Amino acid sequence: MRPEQPAELSGLRRPIPSWISWPSRALRYRVHVRLYALATLIRLTLPDAVSKAWFPEVLLHWLGALVLLATGSLLGWALCCAAILLELLTLSDQLTQTAYLGLVACGAIGCFVGSAEQRERRMHLNLASIVRTLTVGTYFLAAFHKFNRDFLNPAVSCASGGMHVLAEHYASAALANLADWRLWPYLFLAAECGLVLTAIVRPAWGAIYAAVLHLPLTIIFAPAFAFTMASGWVTLLSDEELAQLGHSLRLRWRSVLFLAAIPIGLSLGLPPYDRWRTDPDWCVKEGLLWLVLAWLVVAYVERRRSGAPPESWFGAWCELEASPGARRWAMLAGTLWLLNGFAPYTGLNFQHTGAMLSNLRVDHGCYNHLLIPESFRFREEYIRLDDVRLDGLTLDPSAYQSQLYNAELLGPQLRSWCRHGRGAVSLKGSYGTSPFEIADACSQEALPWEPRLAHFRRFQRNLSRDCPQACVH
């Protein structure tokens, strides 16, 4: 046996600094941190993040996620926050989930700051309130943006387009025949609104509802988004409900595997399925989501069979009543996220606002939202080219007239024209609602649309001047 440490030496061991150790041992914090780190690592498997141009930032982001997995510490949150800022400002990251993950990291850093005595409570309650608000706010914005003419038009709607992709994905004639059903956009919009309502009124059911809703999106459009949002689903639950989930998995893991194996086999195993060859990582992500859904369903059935009391109205949201600090943090996070989410209608920004797959158009002549009038927009930054001449020769109009440009998109195109031309490149068109005529755009130092942040992605890159336009991701 090892001899006991002398009493006079027992207090000499240095404690681990607070910035590299767990700030809270609460179950919900530990589960959220690990799911956040996992969601970050999954996001970093998307095609943009695996390109060579992203290598330094992704390395920093991976480091932050691994530190969070191991320690849940301030250092991990700070590394993730720094990496996300670099990705947004220098790498043209366009994803809403990146902004979501960034705000969560900022919220965690904010909750860490302050008295050490209350830090455990802040990281447990206040951070959960921030994440819960951002999660439900994201679903709210995704639904709100879809209240537009084009999303509700089955000829161009992303809902109808998704059904066509799903039919092609499974080579299903039955799905192909159903894809043009005019009610798909209304049903999907109702489902998204229902998720928001459920996550507020019966949050314990919210994760099951969200997993069901995310599955078709994961299969055809977004292989990482569900896992980002899943890191927020845990904040819809209390520590007791999370503990019951863990108990159910330990007790019923065979049932979970059996229940998940059925849809996994049907979705990923039947011919002519070919994605295992082309996108194996996508298949793994889909399989994981089926396992998550099966686990949530088995845990819910187990809870009902055990005679546990039913889920309470408003569930984890009731924590806001007992914690003024959590209320303030939730209000701050919700206000910032909604201000960001409503930016498209001002004309200042479109990306990172939850408007993906929404058919939303805010440009002049194509504005389509049904609830917010076009007069709400006070700035129009889209660029329309009517005439382009290289060295005095007119460029083929089909090469540019159909495209709706913005500063981030026109810059590289203009540089390409300048490289290929031996003289002046003249442009004629409009910037927003103001016409312009530039004799030589290659020699002009300051163009009217020059962006302040050249690599911050604000607008979509694949819009046409004509509308309506079929679903644009």
Side-chain angles (χ1 to χ4, degrees):
M1 295 179 61
R2 193 171 61 183
E4 291 186 4
Q5 192 177 28
E8 64 274 12
L9 299 179
S10 61
L12 296 182
R13 182 180 297 168
R14 292 183 179 180
I16 300 175
S18 60
W19 56 276
I20 55 172
S21 61
W22 286 94
S24 173
R25 290 287 176 179
L27 175 62
R28 186 169 59 191
Y29 177 77
R30 288 184 282 125
V31 173
H32 171 252
V33 164
R34 283 166 176 152
L35 285 180
Y36 178 97
L38 177 63
T40 297
L41 296 174
I42 290 175
R43 185 268 172 271
L44 296 177
T45 64
L46 294 179
D48 55 357
V50 297
S51 66
K52 291 182 179 179
W54 279 51
F55 178 74
E57 291 80 0
V58 165
L59 190 62
L60 181 66
H61 213 164
W62 270 81
L63 178 61
L66 293 175
V67 170
L68 277 180
L69 271 176
T71 67
S73 65
L74 174 65
L75 176 62
W77 289 117
L79 289 172
C80 286
C81 187
I84 288 170
L85 283 174
L86 288 172
E87 289 159 6
L88 289 172
L89 297 177
T90 67
L91 296 175
S92 298
D93 189 311
Q94 65 184 17
L95 300 181
T96 294
Q97 60 184 297
T98 304
Y100 170 93
L101 292 170
L103 270 181
V104 170
C106 288
I109 294 170
C111 290
F112 183 92
V113 175
S115 65
E117 293 78 12
Q118 293 296 317
R119 184 169 294 145
E120 172 93 19
R121 179 179 175 83
R122 292 197 304 272
M123 300 304 287
H124 178 216
L125 293 180
N126 296 6
L127 181 59
S129 299
I130 291 171
V131 177
R132 190 184 309 120
T133 303
L134 292 175
T135 301
V136 177
T138 301
Y139 290 127
F140 166 78
L141 289 170
F144 184 83
H145 292 314
K146 291 182 176 68
F147 282 94
N148 65 71
R149 289 188 303 273
D150 295 350
F151 185 82
L152 298 177
N153 176 4
V156 294
S157 174
C158 286
S160 303
M163 292 303 299
H164 280 286
V165 174
L166 202 63
E168 294 174 7
H169 181 77
Y170 290 121
S172 169
L175 277 178
N177 292 332
L178 288 172
D180 289 323
W181 189 37
R182 63 185 180 84
L183 293 184
W184 284 125
Y186 295 91
L187 289 176
F188 194 83
L189 183 55
E192 283 201 333
C193 292
L195 174 56
V196 175
L197 183 63
T198 302
I200 295 174
V201 177
R202 274 288 202 263
W205 299 351
I208 299 176
Y209 194 146
V212 171
L213 192 65
H214 273 281
L215 265 165
L217 295 176
T218 300
I219 291 170
I220 59 177
F221 281 132
F225 187 52
F227 298 97
T228 294
M229 301 310 296
S231 69
W233 300 345
V234 297
T235 61
L236 298 172
L237 307 174
S238 65
D239 274 21
E240 292 75 19
E241 289 166 330
L242 282 173
Q244 191 271 331
L245 268 177
H247 177 74
S248 295
L249 183 62
R250 290 190 295 271
L251 191 66
R252 302 291 183 188
W253 63 270
R254 292 181 181 85
S255 299
V256 171
L257 289 177
F258 176 76
L259 186 61
I262 298 171
I264 288 175
L266 292 174
S267 180
L268 296 174
L270 296 180
Y273 195 83
D274 196 38
R275 187 169 277 177
W276 281 110
R277 182 179 61 83
T278 59
D279 300 292
D281 61 314
W282 206 316
C283 298
V284 171
K285 292 166 188 173
E286 182 191 338
L288 283 174
L289 193 54
W290 283 117
L291 283 167
V292 169
L293 177 60
W295 176 21
L296 293 171
V297 170
V298 168
Y300 179 78
V301 172
E302 180 69 20
R303 188 160 63 244
R304 295 277 62 80
R305 290 175 58 186
S306 68
E311 295 78 9
S312 61
W313 291 96
F314 300 103
W317 293 99
C318 295
E319 295 172 354
L320 299 179
E321 297 179 4
S323 176
R327 283 201 302 273
R328 288 193 294 270
W329 278 105
M331 289 178 62
L332 177 61
T335 300
L336 290 175
W337 199 224
L338 286 178
L339 286 174
N340 173 71
F342 279 84
Y345 308 105
T346 68
L348 292 175
N349 183 48
F350 190 96
Q351 304 289 15
H352 322 108
T353 62
M356 58 282 174
L357 299 171
S358 67
N359 288 99
L360 180 65
R361 292 289 294 262
V362 294
D363 48 296
H364 178 68
C366 292
Y367 191 96
N368 62 6
H369 204 269
L370 298 172
L371 302 180
I372 297 184
E374 188 171 1
S375 58
F376 195 83
R377 187 192 64 229
F378 61 83
R379 190 173 180 86
E380 232 276 42
E381 296 195 39
Y382 287 101
I383 304 163
R384 298 158 180 85
L385 297 179
D386 298 322
D387 186 69
V388 177
R389 295 175 184 270
L390 275 66
D391 309 325
L393 300 176
T394 302
L395 194 65
D396 182 2
S398 64
Y400 60 86
Q401 282 189 354
S402 62
Q403 174 77 52
L404 189 63
Y405 289 93
N406 56 67
E408 302 102 57
L409 184 60
L410 183 55
Q413 178 65 77
L414 182 57
R415 287 192 292 272
S416 174
W417 285 335
C418 291
R419 283 196 304 269
H420 288 89
R422 294 185 298 275
V425 175
S426 64
L427 305 177
K428 185 178 181 180
S430 59
Y431 176 42
T433 56
S434 302
F436 66 80
E437 189 167 352
I438 301 173
D440 186 3
C442 300
S443 63
Q444 188 166 328
E445 293 184 2
L447 296 169
W449 53 79
E450 203 68 39
R452 290 187 176 89
L453 297 171
H455 299 288
F456 179 68
R457 181 74 61 82
R458 292 195 295 148
F459 301 105
Q460 292 166 293
R461 302 174 67 88
N462 46 2
L463 293 181
S464 67
R465 288 174 65 166
D466 297 329
C467 51
Q469 182 179 1
C471 178
V472 175
H473 192 2

